[in-house]
Amino acid sequence: MSPAVAPVRRLKYFVSRLASFNLSRPWGFAKQIAEEQGKWAPGVLADMMIWAAFHDTAYIDFYEADFALLTKKERKTFMTALVQHHLADTLNDPVDVLILENKISFHKRFAEYARREWLDLENSTLADFQGFAQRHPVIIAKTPVGREGKGVFRYDMAEVADAEAFRAELISKGQTLLEEPIVQHPYLAEYCAGTVNTTRVATFFDGEKVHILMGAQKFGRGSVSDQFTWGGFFTMLDENGRSFGPGHTGKHVSKYETHPESGKSIVDFQVPMWDEVVAFLDRAARELPTVPYVGWDIAVGPDGPILVEGNWTPGLYETRVSATGIRTGSRARHKPVLDAAASASSRR
């Protein structure tokens, strides 16, 4: 069993999953894995159930990390969603995480790092909205609370005939946060100019030092967001901000050695201004010490990093051996936060 998750939490998780157990879900994953990897579906199902029950591995984690292709020792080098959620729940203050969860609260607290104009439609006037639209002919509208890019929209104000009616429509849809569009670094624009290609970096602040636990570069396909729900994909990054394998979606069979549209190399990608990104995160991660374990989305602009948002559950990004050939996950880099969570759990 993994020592990362406390026995009581594991038991609660197991009981909750048992109560809601539906064989069709794991069987669906087992059949998909068997078809994609030439395995025997019943054997995959049994393997998956064992790892769900005793090794903190959800069915989707088993599939996305290609566990069916890995040895037991190799699997244990990977992070899983349950372990990640345990770390976040153990270490992050349940009230202060709302500062990150709500994008309006985030902008108020991290204005120095977000570095772009924004407007709260519900706490501003029509004149404020019209002025914002004049300064920014293209606007980004967001639902203040949302994940995976599902609440992000882009509007060309030249297509809006009635500003008052459009403002009311945005409010009715819950798209009450407006942002100035981010201008990304020319190097990133070469990959996909139509989408801001962001870098996800997970950090842990131990009270003295900010540890970088994981890095992943996301690439868009021209939509408003680079998330998977908009057709995006990612590649894992080493400690120097360089890709260490082809990109993939993590959601199905995929492999991107080059960007499908631009043809730019994914395997040779290097985050521009990486040293500045690290220094930037070292400062930002200290701003909310009660939420020490965070996954940050960074956009690199022409003159430096821009903080897009912070996620108090950092999001699970791992390599896939079927796409990259890499058989080792990021768990070793998470040792500082794993140790901190174990220590916190032992004191309770």
Side-chain angles (χ1 to χ4, degrees):
M1 287 188 184
S2 164
V5 180
V8 172
R9 180 171 176 80
R10 181 183 290 109
L11 180 60
K12 289 181 178 179
Y13 173 78
F14 181 76
V15 171
S16 68
R17 293 307 298 266
L18 190 62
S20 61
F21 179 72
N22 182 344
L23 183 61
S24 64
R25 179 169 170 78
W27 178 240
F29 279 120
K31 289 195 297 182
Q32 187 171 356
I33 291 169
E35 181 180 346
E36 293 175 357
Q37 300 175 4
K39 302 286 185 177
W40 183 50
V44 172
L45 177 64
D47 192 9
M48 185 186 304
M49 299 297 288
I50 290 170
W51 278 75
F54 301 108
H55 299 284
D56 311 322
T57 306
Y59 311 136
I60 186 69
D61 296 343
F62 191 99
Y63 169 62
E64 291 184 358
D66 281 339
F67 271 25
L69 298 177
L70 301 174
T71 66
K72 182 177 180 179
K73 182 178 180 180
E74 290 168 340
R75 294 175 183 183
K76 289 185 175 181
T77 69
F78 283 73
M79 291 291 289
T80 69
L82 177 59
V83 171
Q84 190 179 77
H85 279 280
H86 168 68
L87 297 176
D89 288 343
T90 301
L91 298 170
N92 291 338
D93 183 274
V95 175
D96 289 351
V97 297
L98 300 179
I99 296 172
L100 297 179
E101 189 169 282
N102 187 296
K103 294 177 176 61
I104 291 175
S105 299
F106 161 80
H107 270 291
K108 291 177 179 177
R109 183 62 179 265
F110 288 91
E112 175 188 350
Y113 303 90
R115 298 177 56 210
R116 59 195 183 279
E117 188 179 2
W118 62 280
L119 182 70
D120 177 0
L121 280 183
E122 291 188 309
N123 291 285
S124 58
T125 65
L126 174 60
D128 293 331
F129 172 64
Q130 291 172 318
F132 187 91
Q134 288 176 351
R135 292 188 295 278
H136 309 294
V138 174
I139 65 172
I140 304 299
K142 297 180 177 180
T143 56
V145 179
R147 296 183 64 84
E148 299 180 349
K150 294 178 181 178
V152 182
F153 305 87
R154 180 166 51 201
Y155 296 103
D156 186 341
M157 294 307 296
E159 299 175 356
V160 175
D162 186 333
E164 184 173 10
F166 182 60
R167 175 178 177 271
E169 179 185 348
L170 290 177
I171 292 175
S172 70
K173 292 179 177 178
Q175 300 170 26
T176 57
L177 170 62
L178 303 186
E179 293 181 350
E180 167 190 3
I182 291 172
V183 177
Q184 64 185 332
H185 193 283
Y187 175 75
L188 293 169
E190 290 178 2
Y191 279 83
C192 182
T195 305
V196 177
N197 305 287
T198 61
T199 308
R200 172 66 61 90
V201 180
T203 64
F204 171 61
F205 177 48
D206 66 9
E208 296 182 1
K209 180 180 178 180
V210 173
H211 303 266
I212 292 185
L213 311 171
M214 177 281 299
Q217 178 63 39
K218 294 181 281 186
F219 297 94
R221 303 289 298 275
S223 298
V224 67
S225 172
D226 57 12
Q227 296 282 5
F228 314 124
T229 47
W230 293 91
F233 62 95
F234 71 95
T235 183
M236 299 301 292
L237 301 171
D238 66 16
E239 63 275 11
N240 298 309
R242 186 176 180 83
S243 167
F244 60 83
H248 58 90
T249 66
K251 303 297 181 183
H252 55 77
V253 175
S254 58
K255 181 177 182 178
Y256 299 98
E257 295 191 356
T258 60
H259 193 284
E261 280 73 49
S262 66
K264 292 283 293 182
S265 174
I266 301 300
V267 295
D268 295 323
F269 176 82
Q270 167 72 57
V271 177
M273 308 177 74
W274 178 249
D275 290 343
E276 288 88 339
V277 169
V278 172
F280 180 81
L281 284 174
D282 189 79
R283 298 193 304 274
R286 298 170 187 270
E287 290 288 331
L288 200 59
T290 52
V291 185
Y293 179 47
V294 179
W296 307 98
D297 280 336
I298 306 293
V300 181
D303 60 350
I306 299 165
L307 192 56
V308 178
E309 65 181 27
N311 302 272
W312 68 270
T313 301
L316 190 62
Y317 290 80
E318 284 285 13
T319 187
R320 283 191 96 178
V321 64
S322 61
T324 68
I326 298 167
R327 309 182 71 91
T328 304
S330 67
R331 194 180 183 105
R333 293 174 66 180
H334 284 76
K335 187 177 187 305
V337 68
L338 288 165
D339 289 347
S343 177
S345 296
S346 68
R347 295 194 298 269
R348 294 178 179 177

